[in-house]
Amino acid sequence: MPASPLAVLTAADVRTSGVLSPDVAVDVMRRTLAAKRAGVAVDSPLSTLTLGEPGHRFVAHPASLEDIAGVKWIGANPENLRHGQPRASASVLLSDRQDGRSRAVVEATSISAARTAAVGALAVEALASTTAAFSVGVIGAGVSSLAFVDTVIALYPDLVRTVTVFDLAEEAGARLVETLRERGVAATVAGSVEEAVTAHEVVVLGTSDAVTPYVTPAMLDGVRLVVAISLNDLTEAAVATSGRWVTTDRQLLAYDLSSTARAVRSGAVSPDRIELLEDLMVDPASGDRPEGERIVFDLWGLGMFDIALAAAAWRRQERDHGQR
């Protein structure tokens, strides 16, 4: 039997497939996390190639799920931002899990933002109260932050009361606020990190990997859920003084990347206290959480997330084109 041709999906193909829409992306991530909990979806430790400046790296992250195995490949360089280019870009290689044939290469930069937003929204669903309106504080006005807010609003259109945005690049913060206002969201630009964090029930950290942690316990007064998309924003004290710690995978504890991982290695947080999101999706946090309890959710981007969305896009293209 001749080998099947290798499909190539561009960014336009991925958009056309519909997998980037919040409802589809959340559904795919929900099913992927359930498969992970059941042991059907499995990630392998990532491999990182670091080049020179902090944040300039290439990362390979293999995973398998159902009948597909694949690898997510990300290249990132913060210097890109100075030239008006995205900090990171990604692609996914999909292979048949049984016979090993390569089946598709998928441009996955937009997929990374969609899966980050979808998993973050599932964290809001499982870890924050969705029975009363809440405000959102945003640090970092990039693509992931916009996708997160869009997805949470799509899931809970009547619950997001206000969004406050801070970015060191004032123009970027203003652009995100204007975009949100155009979509009917009550959004404002914050003059400081404190203004964008303190007293907001949900805070999303989406910077380009801070060099020095800057979010302190005092800033987190009134915050119920911190969604840490970026890596180095929370001081060790801010992590340690939280009441619960949740992540997508305990593999993160093996890498000196996230604020939570460093707090664990320093002894400030016990590793056996780290909970997994997929477990809490089955048994969500109760509505009678202790007064003032704060949860830090460390959103570790697993290979299986991008591979699941890339596979969904590829299968939709096969279906629409009548291929096998």
Side-chain angles (χ1 to χ4, degrees):
M1 177 185 297
S4 299
L6 181 69
V8 177
L9 276 70
T10 65
D13 294 327
V14 172
R15 286 194 301 272
T16 302
S17 74
V19 302
L20 303 181
S21 66
D23 58 336
V24 175
V26 167
D27 178 63
V28 172
M29 292 301 94
R30 192 188 303 277
R31 290 187 282 111
T32 302
L33 283 163
K36 177 176 178 287
R37 189 171 192 267
V40 177
V42 180
D43 255 46
S44 177
L46 57 77
S47 177
T48 302
L49 173 66
T50 302
L51 299 174
E53 298 299 319
H56 186 189
R57 58 181 180 262
F58 291 85
V59 179
H61 204 164
S64 67
L65 57 158
E66 298 175 346
D67 58 344
I68 289 291
V71 61
K72 174 179 69 174
W73 176 251
I74 296 179
N77 188 350
E79 184 66 22
N80 291 349
L81 299 173
R82 297 178 180 269
H83 306 290
Q85 299 174 344
R87 182 183 64 88
S89 60
S91 57
V92 169
L93 172 65
L94 301 174
S95 298
D96 186 288
R97 178 170 168 168
Q98 186 62 34
D99 63 23
R101 288 180 299 160
S102 296
R103 302 303 303 274
V105 176
V106 182
E107 205 291 326
T109 302
S110 56
I111 281 176
S112 289
R115 59 85 172 155
T116 296
V119 175
L122 287 171
V124 171
E125 180 180 280
L127 305 175
S129 172
T130 54
T131 60
F134 54 85
S135 62
V136 178
V138 176
I139 307 297
V143 173
S144 293
S145 295
L146 174 59
F148 172 83
V149 174
D150 273 346
T151 302
V152 171
I153 290 173
L155 286 185
Y156 310 111
D158 300 322
L159 291 182
V160 176
R161 187 170 62 246
T162 59
V163 177
T164 305
V165 179
F166 176 80
D167 196 295
L168 288 173
E170 294 181 4
E171 317 81 47
R175 282 196 302 271
L176 177 56
V177 165
E178 184 60 30
T179 299
L180 292 172
R181 287 175 176 172
E182 290 172 355
R183 299 179 187 184
V185 180
T188 58
V189 175
S192 66
V193 170
E194 290 86 349
E195 184 182 344
V197 174
T198 305
H200 293 284
E201 288 89 346
V202 175
V203 169
V204 57
L205 304 175
T207 67
S208 298
D209 300 348
V211 175
T212 302
Y214 60 93
V215 177
T216 65
M219 294 181 191
L220 294 172
D221 183 42
V223 176
R224 299 285 273 168
L225 174 64
V226 178
V227 179
I229 294 173
S230 45
L231 299 174
N232 196 36
D233 304 86
L234 296 163
T235 63
E236 183 177 306
V239 177
T241 55
S242 297
R244 296 175 72 181
W245 305 271
V246 181
T247 187
T248 47
D249 198 279
R250 293 192 181 94
Q251 284 190 51
L252 79 88
L253 303 179
Y255 302 97
D256 189 19
L257 293 173
S258 78
S259 301
T260 301
R262 283 192 291 278
V264 167
R265 277 192 297 280
S266 73
V269 175
S270 173
D272 60 11
R273 298 284 305 280
I274 308 295
E275 301 174 83
L276 294 176
L277 177 61
E278 62 264 29
D279 294 333
L280 297 174
M281 288 167 58
V282 175
D283 182 20
S286 66
D288 59 349
R289 285 167 48 192
E291 184 67 28
E293 181 189 58
R294 180 172 65 247
I295 297 176
V296 172
F297 173 58
D298 212 322
L299 203 167
W300 188 243
L302 298 179
M304 67 175 68
F305 296 157
D306 298 70
I307 290 166
L309 275 177
W314 167 59
R315 288 181 172 122
R316 285 177 172 225
Q317 186 187 66
E318 282 198 319
R319 178 199 64 198
D320 294 344
H321 293 177
Q323 299 175 355
R324 291 291 183 267

